[in-house]
C-alpha cells in the first residue's frame, strides 16, 4: 500500500515544488556528540516544516473535481500550513481544524495562507470527529496528517534526498533519527531508505512522557499516550502511532528514543549557535538525541532530521536565555 | 586581475568543500516587500558566513611550502572563522588578528577552530600593521579579507550559484542586494553575474552612518567612514572600499543602499519567523533593504544575499523581543 513506487511518484509530483533542503553539519556538534552529526534541515522547507511534502503529495493526487470542492485537515499547525499552502497553490479551498492551544504563529500563518481555521479544545473535543463532520457537510476531502498513503509517500521523499546526500557525504552506515508523532515521516523515510540506502536505519525520537511509538515498538503492538498536551513539543504530541504507519515502523526501525523538554530546548540553542537554523521544540528532539544520548546510537555517524521551525519567539528566546553557548 | 576565469577556478577548488546554500523565500516576505523576495542563505555556509569561500579559495591556492608555514588574517570574526577552518582542513597553522570588541561567539569559535587569536583595540591600533608585522616575523602568508583577488574569486562563487538558482526560479531580471563591508563579496558576485546573468544587478547595502561604499559610488572615488565601531553590524564596519574591489563595484553596481540598525534587527526577526534562519545584524542589511526600502528597487524581483549568522544570543533575543511578528 505504501511503498517505494508511491514515494517515487510523489517525488515526481514534488519536483520544482518542494525545496531540496540541505544536510548541515558543524565541527562543534560533532565534538559534542563524539561522532559525525549530519542534520537534514526540513525547517527550511516551505511553510517551515516537512509537512508541505505530504500536503502537496496528497492535494496534487486528487481528481480535479474533488480538488475544486476543497480539502480539510486537522493539525496542531505544521500539517495545517503544509496543506494550506499546497491547496492555495492548486487553487483549492482549505479548511483546517486546529487545537486552540496551538502556537499563535502557526494559527496565524495558516490563516494568512488562505485557509479557513476551525479551532477546537484538545482536552475535550475529538478532532477526527470534527474533521469527518465538516468533510461530509461540504464535500471536502480529508487529508489525514499521517495515516494516509499519499501523505506517507510525500514525507518519504525526504528519505530519497537523505539517501543521496548521505552518499555524497561519504556516509553509508548511520542511524537516522526522526522526530516522531504519528509516524508519517518516519515510516516514509524508512521505506525510502530500505530501498535506496539500506545501511541507514531509522530511529524514532519522541518527548519523554509522550513516547507511544517507542513503547509500541518495544511491545510489538500499538500503545497509547495518557495525554497529548502539556509539553512544548506540540508538533509531535499524538495519541498513538497510525494503523498504516506502525507496521512499517515495526518492520524497519530500531528501538525508539525519547528526550526531555530541556534536552530539546538545548538542541534548539545549539542549532542556533552552530547551524544558524531555527528549530521548534518538536523539530529538535532528533538533534537532542544525537547530541545528548550518544550511548544509545551505534554507528560512527548519525543523521538527525530537524523537522520544523515554527516556534513562537518567546519560547525561542527562553531556549537561548537558558542554553545558548 | 579579478575575472570570471578566476571565479570558475575557485569554484573548481571549492567543489565538495563549500556548501551550495539554498535560495529561500516566503510568501509573507513577498507581501511585505510588494515583490518577489529570494534570499541566498550564506548564513548556512560552513562557519556561518560566506567568508569560508574566500578563505578556502586563498588557502587552497597557496604553494605547499607557504601553506606549511601558515597563514594570517585580520577580521572582526567571519573572515577569521573562514580562514581558520580552511587552514585547519589543509593542515596549515593560522593566526587571526581580531578586534577586542568582536562578538564573543566569533572569538570563541575562531579559537575552537584551532587558530591562534591575537586581539587588538579597534580604536587605537592598526590591524594592517599588526598583520604585516606578524606575517614578516613568522613567514606567514597574509590573507586579506577583501582586497585580494583569490578571496574575491572565492566569494564570487556565490554569484555563480545565484545565477543558476535564479534561472531555476524563473528570475532573470532582479536587483541583487549584497551586504557590503570592503566589497569582496559584492565585487565577486558582480563579476560572476556580469558573465552569467547580466539581467541581475548588484546593489551594495551598508549600515547608515557607515556607508563608505554608497558615498564612494556616488562620488566616483573612494570615500572613508569617520568611524568603524559603534554599530551592531560589526561584520561590515570597514574604513573604506578596497583599491581592487572599488573599480569593479563602480563599473558594475547600481547606487548603494543603507539601512538603520533597527531595520537590520527587524529583518533578523522576520528571517527567524518566515525563513527559519539565524542572521547577524551585518548579514541582515540586504534583507532589510529588500523589505523596507521597496521604492529604491526597480525590478519585479529582488535577491538578498544574507551573508552571515554569527550573532551573540543576547543580540538575537533582543531583536526577537522588539521585532518578532
Amino acid at each position: 500500500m505504501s511503498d517505494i513506487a508511491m514515494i517515487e511518484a510523489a517525488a515526481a509530483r514534488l519536483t520544482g515544488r518542494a525545496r531540496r533542503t540541505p544536510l548541515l553539519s558543524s565541527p562543534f556538534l560533532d565534538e559534542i556528540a563524539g561522532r559525525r552529526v549530519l542534520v537534514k534541515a526540513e525547517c527550511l522547507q516551505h511553510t517551515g516544516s516537512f509537512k508541505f511534502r505530504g500536503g502537496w503529495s496528497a492535494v496534487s493526487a486528487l481528481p480535479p473535481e474533488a480538488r475544486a470542492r476543497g480539502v480539510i485537515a486537522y493539525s496542531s499547525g505544521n500539517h495545517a500550513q503544509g496543506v494550506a499552502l499546497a491547496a492555495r497553490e492548486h487553487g483549492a479551498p482549505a479548511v483546517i481544524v486546529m487545537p486552540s492551544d496551538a502556537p499563535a504563529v502557526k494559527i496565524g500563518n495558516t490563516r494568512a495562507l488562505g485557509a479557513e481555521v476551525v479551532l477546537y479544545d484538545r482536552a475535550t473535543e475529538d478532532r477526527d470527529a470534527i474533521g469527518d463532520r465538516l468533510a461530509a457537510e461540504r464535500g471536502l476531502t480529508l487529508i489525514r496528517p499521517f495515516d494516509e498513503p499519499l501523505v506517507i509517500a510525500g514525507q518519504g521523499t525526504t528519505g530519497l534526498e537523505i539517501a543521496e546526500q548521505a552518499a555524497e557525504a561519504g556516509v553509508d552506515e548511520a542511524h537516522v533519527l526522526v522526530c516522531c508523532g504519528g509516524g508519517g515521516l518516519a515510516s516514509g523515510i524508512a521505506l525510502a531508505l530500505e530501498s535506496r540506502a539500506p545501511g541507514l536505519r531509522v530511529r524514532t525520537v519522541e518527548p519523554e512522557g509522550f513516547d507511544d511509538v517507542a513503547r509500541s515498538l518495544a511491545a510489538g503492538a500499538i500503545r497509547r499516550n495518557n495525554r497529548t498536551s502539556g509539553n512544548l513539543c506540540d508538533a509531535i504530541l499524538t495519541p498513538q502511532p497510525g494503523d498504516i504507519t506502525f507496521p512499517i515502523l515495526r518492520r524497519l526501525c530500531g528501538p525508539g528514543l525519547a528526550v526531555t523538554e530541556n534536552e530539546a530546548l538545548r538542541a534548539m540553542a545549539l542549532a542556533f549557535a552552530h547551524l544558524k537554523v531555527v528549530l521548534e521544540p518538536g523539530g529538535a528532539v532528533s538533534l537532542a538525541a544525537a547530541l545528548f544520548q550518544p550511548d544509545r546510537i551505534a554507528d560512527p555517524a548519525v543523521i538527525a532530521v530537524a523537522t520544523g521551525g515554527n516556534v513562537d519567539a518567546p519560547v525561542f528566546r527562553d531556549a537561548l536565555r537558558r542554553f545558548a553557548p
Side-chain angles (χ1 to χ4, degrees), chain A:
Chain A
M1 186 150 186
S2 288
D3 58 18
I4 187 70
M6 279 192 74
I7 297 172
E8 286 168 349
R13 294 198 302 282
L14 280 160
T15 298
R17 297 298 183 164
R19 209 169 261 149
R20 184 185 171 87
T21 54
L23 198 61
L24 303 176
S25 62
S26 159
F28 299 103
L29 298 184
D30 294 353
E31 193 177 320
I32 293 169
R35 58 168 56 84
R36 192 164 170 199
V37 179
L38 299 167
V39 179
K40 178 69 170 165
E42 278 293 302
C43 54
L44 303 176
Q45 190 52 265
H46 296 296
T47 70
S49 90
F50 72 94
K51 291 282 193 176
F52 176 76
R53 296 177 187 262
W56 184 276
S57 172
V59 175
S60 63
L62 284 178
E65 58 278 17
R67 202 186 293 155
R69 284 195 302 273
V71 297
I72 182 168
Y74 38 85
S75 161
S76 75
N78 284 335
H79 180 58
Q81 292 179 73
V83 170
L85 182 62
R88 187 171 84 170
E89 293 189 356
H90 281 91
V95 177
I96 311 289
V97 184
M98 301 183 77
S100 50
D101 63 345
V105 65
K106 293 183 177 177
I107 296 173
N109 286 353
T110 305
R111 286 202 173 110
L113 290 170
E116 176 188 342
V117 172
V118 176
L119 297 177
Y120 77 100
D121 184 324
R122 208 196 279 253
T124 63
E125 294 181 278
D126 178 353
R127 70 177 184 181
D128 291 28
I130 295 170
D132 289 345
R133 179 175 53 77
L134 285 166
E137 282 173 9
R138 305 196 198 176
L140 306 172
T141 300
L142 179 63
I143 300 182
R144 294 182 187 279
F146 52 85
D147 228 23
E148 159 55 51
L150 286 165
V151 170
I152 294 170
Q155 322 304 29
T157 62
T158 315
L160 299 181
E161 294 177 12
I162 290 171
E164 291 176 10
Q165 293 170 316
E168 287 165 13
V171 171
D172 55 9
E173 295 277 338
H175 284 184
V176 178
L177 310 189
V178 184
C179 309
C180 193
L185 178 66
S187 60
I189 291 177
L191 287 169
L193 296 179
E194 177 190 27
S195 172
R196 298 292 180 83
L200 306 184
R201 186 169 203 210
V202 169
R203 305 281 302 274
T204 60
V205 188
E206 297 167 287
E208 272 188 18
F210 301 85
D211 59 343
D212 52 304
V213 172
R215 287 183 292 111
S216 299
L217 287 172
I222 288 178
R223 295 289 181 263
R224 289 182 62 88
N225 288 323
N226 292 327
R227 55 198 176 106
T228 56
S229 63
N231 188 288
L232 286 171
C233 302
D234 60 282
I236 53 176
L237 304 185
T238 41
Q240 60 180 62
D243 292 331
I244 300 175
T245 58
F246 180 62
I248 301 169
L249 299 177
R250 191 181 170 194
R251 184 168 67 81
L252 295 173
C253 297
L257 301 166
V259 303
T260 66
E261 205 171 65
N262 277 350
E263 286 175 323
L265 293 172
R266 190 182 293 272
M268 290 165 63
L270 291 169
F272 159 87
H274 299 305
L275 299 176
K276 314 306 175 190
V277 294
V278 175
L279 301 185
E280 60 184 279
V285 298
S286 59
L287 179 59
L291 296 176
F292 309 130
Q293 302 191 357
D295 296 346
R296 301 207 57 195
I297 298 161
D299 288 325
V302 59
I303 299 170
V305 183
T307 46
N310 291 311
V311 54
D312 281 341
V315 173
F316 197 79
R317 283 166 44 209
D318 193 51
L320 294 190
R321 184 183 59 75
R322 293 175 61 197
F323 296 117

